[in-house]
């Protein structure tokens, strides 16, 4: 066991209740089931502690999303609609409450880090994911922006003003970028497949934030076929310098695993092993710059073969000694 003690996983079986209708929808409850299957038989088995999430605070939710949008989302679920705006965004009766829980998971994780006596590593193993959802828009399987809500919580509850977000999902987190576009206190870095080739078609490198937030967005757009070497080079050449200059009070990882070579959702070709390196980098940065204040929040990852091992090796990387 590392000095971090058991890995803290914020999780509830209620995340399985968000039903995307079967068929060929890729964002399914099976994703979380395969993660648990891997964790329970791998080297972290016996070294995991589950933290129970709570629903996101209403005021916090409204610091990211508009009241009108929240109302429409709730009403769509409770009235039996099957989608919110687009067939990608499948919903069921339970989806609204599950999304509130998914968005609140980071509150539990952040509280644990802030109040814990010993350093810990926290992973929010949640669904639905969040990084495509904007203030008033559901998009790409996402309804509430879990990562943006986590950043606001850290600021509002604990005064950790300078938040660094690293998004390593295959897709650009257009929602996180939109919400913090003009905000110099939240530095959003995304490494993703080039928008010319990939959903949602945002995340060009020339987009660097606007107004007071100019320079606090960094998009690293990789051509299709990019693999471990390109990611590691970007982290060492670009991300490391950005975080050093920014000197964050806390770090949030938008942890998506759909750039894996087995995952059909992108043309990127990361190995499973790469996620261990990403975890190791994040762990070191968290210790160097912000006293270990790092929360990882699950985003995408749709290959039911690759997702479990990728998460497992990522968590292993997070727990390595610097
Ligand atoms: Zn994705």
């Amino acid at each position: 066991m590392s000095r971090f003690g058991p890995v803290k996983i914020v999780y509830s079986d209620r995340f399985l209740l968000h039903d995307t209708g079967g068929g060929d929808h890729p964002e399914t409850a099976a994703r979380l089931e395969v993660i648990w299957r891997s964790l329970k038989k791998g080297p972290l088995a016996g070294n995991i502690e589950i933290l129970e999430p709570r629903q996101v605070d209403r005021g916090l939710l409204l610091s990211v999303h508009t009241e009108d949008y929240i109302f429409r989302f709730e009403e769509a679920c409770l009235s039996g609609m099957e989608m919110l705006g687009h067939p990608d965004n499948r919903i069921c009766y339970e989806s609204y409450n599950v999304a509130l829980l998914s968005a609140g998971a980071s509150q539990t994780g952040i509280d644990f880090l802030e109040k814990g006596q010993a350093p810990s590593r926290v992973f929010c193993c949640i669904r639905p994911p969040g990084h495509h959802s904007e203030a008033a828009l559901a998009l790409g399987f996402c309804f509430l922006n879990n990562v943006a809500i986590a950043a606001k919580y850290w600021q509002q509850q604990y005064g950790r003003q300078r938040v660094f977000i690293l998004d390593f999902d295959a897709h650009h987190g257009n929602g996180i970028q939109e919400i913090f576009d003009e905000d110099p206190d939240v530095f959003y870095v995304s490494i993703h497949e080039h928008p010319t080739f990939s959903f949602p078609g945002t995340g060009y490198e020339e987009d660097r934030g606007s107004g007071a937030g100019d320079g606090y967005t960094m998009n690293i757009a990789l051509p299709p076929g990019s693999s471990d070497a390109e990611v590691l080079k970007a982290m060492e050449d670009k991300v490391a310098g950005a975080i050093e200059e920014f000197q964050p009070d806390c770090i949030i990882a938008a942890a998506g695993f759909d750039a894996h070579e087995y995952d059909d959702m992108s043309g990127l070709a990361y190995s499973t092993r790469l996620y261990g390196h990403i975890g190791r980098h994040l762990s070191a940065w968290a210790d160097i710059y912000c006293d270990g204040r790092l929360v990882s929040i699950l985003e995408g990852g749709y290959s039911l073969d690759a997702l479990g091992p990728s998460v497992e090796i990522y968590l292993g990387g997070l727990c390595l000694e610097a």
Side-chain angles (χ1 to χ4, degrees):
M1 191 185 293
S2 75
R3 71 187 168 93
F4 301 110
V7 181
K8 308 299 183 295
I9 300 191
V10 188
Y11 174 76
S12 165
D13 282 338
R14 288 164 64 197
F15 293 137
L16 308 178
L17 300 177
H18 168 52
D19 182 352
T20 50
D24 55 3
H25 199 292
E27 204 290 284
T28 63
R31 299 176 56 234
L32 302 191
E33 290 166 351
V34 297
I35 291 173
W36 280 112
R37 206 170 302 148
S38 283
L39 294 180
K40 283 180 176 164
K41 67 173 194 226
L44 291 174
N47 194 20
I48 287 170
E49 197 175 304
I50 295 178
L51 304 179
E52 192 67 31
R54 65 177 194 268
Q55 288 201 337
V56 63
D57 298 343
R58 179 86 183 169
L60 182 64
L61 180 63
L62 293 176
S63 70
V64 168
H65 294 284
T66 66
E67 193 154 25
D68 175 66
Y69 169 68
I70 296 301
F71 178 75
R72 279 190 284 123
F73 178 27
E74 180 177 22
E75 188 180 51
C77 295
L78 299 185
S79 66
M81 288 173 67
E82 294 186 343
M83 67 170 95
L84 188 61
H86 186 281
D88 277 355
N89 312 317
R90 287 286 303 228
I91 51 174
C92 68
Y93 185 82
E94 300 285 351
S95 295
Y96 178 70
N97 282 318
V98 177
L100 293 180
L101 198 64
S102 185
S106 66
Q107 291 179 251
T108 301
I110 289 167
D111 287 346
F112 189 90
L113 283 176
E114 291 285 351
K115 293 173 181 166
Q117 301 299 308
S120 295
R121 291 300 185 231
V122 174
F123 178 65
C124 298
C125 187
I126 61 171
R127 62 185 285 276
H131 74 154
H132 294 306
S133 59
E134 300 184 354
L137 181 73
L139 188 74
F141 321 151
C142 300
F143 303 92
L144 303 179
N145 202 306
N146 306 313
V147 166
I149 287 166
K152 294 280 190 187
Y153 185 65
W154 232 328
Q155 292 177 325
Q156 293 172 13
Q157 187 70 21
Y158 295 103
R160 308 293 183 196
Q161 211 53 35
R162 297 173 71 75
V163 185
F164 190 89
I165 299 171
L166 178 67
D167 185 337
F168 59 86
D169 189 277
H171 306 100
H172 178 241
N174 58 290
I176 304 174
Q177 177 170 298
E178 183 240 13
I179 290 159
F180 297 115
D181 185 53
E182 297 185 21
D183 189 341
D185 286 333
V186 178
F187 198 140
Y188 176 58
V189 176
S190 177
I191 304 174
H192 50 263
E193 188 173 18
H194 195 284
T196 302
F197 306 96
S198 181
F199 181 87
T202 56
Y204 285 88
E205 296 201 346
E206 55 266 36
D207 297 336
R208 297 169 40 83
S210 45
D214 186 17
Y216 295 95
T217 294
M218 177 186 281
N219 286 309
I220 299 170
L222 302 177
S226 295
S227 186
D228 302 13
E230 288 86 345
V231 176
L232 292 172
K233 185 167 165 43
M235 291 191 64
E236 284 153 19
D237 291 355
K238 295 180 179 169
V239 186
I243 196 168
E244 183 179 6
E245 193 164 326
F246 185 65
Q247 296 283 320
D249 297 322
C250 56
I251 302 173
I252 302 170
F257 298 88
D258 45 5
H260 193 282
E261 59 188 325
Y262 295 162
D263 200 307
D264 297 336
M265 296 288 279
S266 85
L268 298 172
Y270 301 176
S271 75
T272 306
R273 220 171 35 249
L274 175 65
Y275 294 106
H277 294 301
I278 294 173
R280 191 167 44 81
H281 276 294
L282 281 165
S283 174
W285 291 332
D287 286 342
I288 292 167
Y289 299 114
C290 40
D291 205 15
R293 285 187 290 274
L294 162 67
V295 159
S296 301
I297 301 177
L298 182 65
E299 293 286 356
Y302 306 97
S303 162
L304 297 179
D305 296 321
L307 179 58
S310 299
V311 169
E312 177 177 33
I313 206 161
Y314 173 70
L315 297 180
L318 287 184
C319 294
L320 283 179
E321 300 295 331

